[in-house]
Amino acid sequence: MKKFLSILLAAIMLFAVTASALAEGETFLWDNFDDRDPNAKPDLAPNGANLWWDNWANLRAKNEDGAIKIDYRPKAYDAEDYDTEDEYFAAAGDWMGNWGEAVNMWALEGISFCKYLNIRIKGSEGGEENKLIMDWHPEDSKFYAARFSDLVLADGSHPVITTEWQDLVIDLEASGFPGMTNAFHIRAFAKCVIWLDEISFSEAVAPVDASSQETILAGMTVPETGKPGDLPIRDYLAELE
């Protein structure tokens, strides 16, 4: 009997370790853009969750071989449209090209906050990280935005977009972002062209309790970095001149 109990206990422990390892290695797909027509919003994202809305503003987009080509064309300041440049930069809809999606990630079975965001990406010229912003708002009152070049990768370096496909593994907490979101944008404050092939979350750190809004930041310690319009966009543009 004792031998049986010891074998049973060992089996339970092995199962627990295996289950934990599987959970830690789980990947949650955001979008893979396969057969995705940017001019027609599907009801469901590729992961099966509702795709509530998508934005394709101040840009041109098309599907190329299962990836999305995004040609960002933010509007330049025009004194006929705005009294001052301050007013222009306060209207984020004009100074940026905006690709974004809202996916009901909270409804996915077994969804977790994750350590990493994985983006398969390439650019037309290279260096597009200096023209992009990543922006999330997992709650209406919580905004997280950062210049793409300031994001922190898993190895501690910063993203450098090239003309070849690469998989960027972004350390979310180190970059100032929570471990999951339901609203995601990659915006451009200067003209550029990128391709996106797949976006996913990986390495679960804490389960999500979708019944409580207060759990959205569970397992992560991240500052509230504010809206994209709070970033010093004019300074970023000056660096590009």
Side-chain angles (χ1 to χ4, degrees), residues 1-234:
M1 185 65 178
K2 288 183 178 179
K3 183 176 181 181
F4 171 76
L5 289 175
S6 64
I7 293 174
L8 178 61
L9 180 59
I12 292 173
M13 291 178 66
L14 177 62
F15 174 80
V17 171
T18 302
S20 176
L22 288 174
E24 289 177 0
E26 191 164 6
T27 297
F28 300 100
L29 177 67
W30 176 274
D31 203 336
N32 57 16
F33 305 103
D34 289 352
D35 302 318
R36 176 87 155 89
D37 178 2
N39 298 305
K41 184 189 79 66
D43 292 330
L44 298 178
N47 59 25
N50 289 109
L51 179 58
W52 287 322
W53 50 256
D54 56 1
N55 287 330
W56 306 87
N58 296 335
L59 55 80
R60 302 289 184 271
K62 63 179 181 178
N63 196 301
E64 289 187 352
D65 301 322
I68 288 290
K69 178 183 179 181
I70 304 177
D71 181 355
Y72 288 103
R73 303 180 183 184
K75 297 178 182 178
Y77 169 70
D78 189 335
E80 293 186 1
D81 296 329
Y82 298 96
D83 293 333
T84 66
E85 284 197 6
D86 288 339
E87 185 182 349
Y88 162 73
F89 281 106
D94 278 350
W95 59 254
M96 67 169 66
N98 178 18
W99 168 80
E101 294 179 346
V103 177
N104 187 15
M105 298 295 285
W106 312 128
L108 291 179
E109 184 176 353
I111 191 68
S112 295
F113 300 99
C114 294
K115 183 173 178 59
Y116 298 118
L117 174 72
N118 312 287
I119 301 180
R120 184 159 179 79
I121 190 171
K122 70 175 181 178
S124 63
E125 299 179 354
E128 285 81 7
E129 72 280 357
N130 295 312
K131 301 177 180 180
L132 300 176
I133 290 170
M134 189 166 79
D135 166 36
W136 295 7
H137 40 105
E139 294 181 79
D140 290 341
S141 60
K142 298 283 186 180
F143 291 85
Y144 302 87
R147 193 174 181 178
F148 210 85
S149 57
D150 290 333
L151 300 174
V152 181
L153 301 182
D155 63 2
S157 65
H158 299 287
V160 176
I161 298 174
T162 69
T163 57
E164 301 295 328
W165 283 112
Q166 61 176 314
D167 296 296
L168 300 177
V169 182
I170 298 166
D171 185 320
L172 291 172
E173 188 168 12
S175 299
F177 286 80
M180 185 56 64
T181 187
N182 63 348
F184 181 114
H185 301 262
I186 297 178
R187 310 180 193 257
F189 52 83
K191 292 182 179 180
C192 62
V193 179
I194 62 170
W195 286 260
L196 298 174
D197 189 22
E198 185 169 303
I199 299 174
S200 64
F201 294 85
S202 64
E203 194 166 319
V205 295
V208 171
D209 177 5
S211 66
S212 173
Q213 290 282 41
E214 294 180 358
T215 65
I216 285 180
L217 301 182
M220 310 292 281
T221 304
V222 270
E224 188 170 335
T225 56
K227 299 180 181 181
D230 296 333
L231 297 174
I233 302 302
R234 275 176 283 197

